[in-house]
Amino acid sequence: MSSAAHRMKVLSLYKQLLRESQKFSSYNFRNYALRRIRDAFREGKALTDSTKIQSEVDYASKNLDIIKRQALISQMFRADKLVIEK
């Protein structure tokens, strides 16, 4: 896979993670997920080893599935909004 193809796949995964994490009903979970995703991708920005990049992409894909599942569960059991959200 070429470098441009890797970059497009990673960018797509990044956008999906951000989009799904916005679906958390809890302000704290939502902001934690967003912050953690951004930090993890910033850390991985300097990677050059293709096997390490692929393992990180696989890890992010697994986390995307987890975030989707947890966001769905959080929407089922909504709590009152925090003062900061109103």
Side-chain angles (χ1 to χ4, degrees):
M1 193 179 275
S2 70
S3 176
H6 276 296
R7 180 166 284 151
M8 292 302 293
K9 184 175 181 178
V10 169
L11 184 60
S12 173
L13 186 59
Y14 178 69
K15 288 180 180 180
Q16 287 176 351
L17 283 162
L18 291 176
R19 210 173 296 122
E20 287 299 320
S21 64
Q22 287 289 347
K23 294 179 182 178
F24 279 112
S25 62
S26 169
Y27 174 82
N28 292 326
F29 285 129
R30 188 172 50 246
N31 282 334
Y32 174 77
L34 290 170
R35 188 172 54 248
R36 186 64 192 105
I37 290 165
R38 288 184 186 120
D39 290 346
F41 274 82
R42 280 189 196 118
E43 289 173 11
K45 187 177 181 180
L47 291 177
T48 55
D49 182 25
S50 62
T51 57
K52 182 68 174 163
I53 292 171
Q54 188 59 44
S55 71
E56 292 294 323
V57 167
D58 293 341
Y59 180 71
S61 296
K62 290 177 187 174
N63 281 326
L64 176 60
D65 292 336
I66 292 168
I67 288 174
K68 284 180 180 180
R69 186 172 51 245
Q70 289 304 116
L72 181 64
I73 291 170
S74 77
Q75 290 173 0
M76 296 167 110
F77 302 100
R78 289 186 182 255
D80 293 337
K81 288 192 174 196
L82 299 176
V83 173
I84 198 167
E85 293 181 282
K86 293 181 182 178

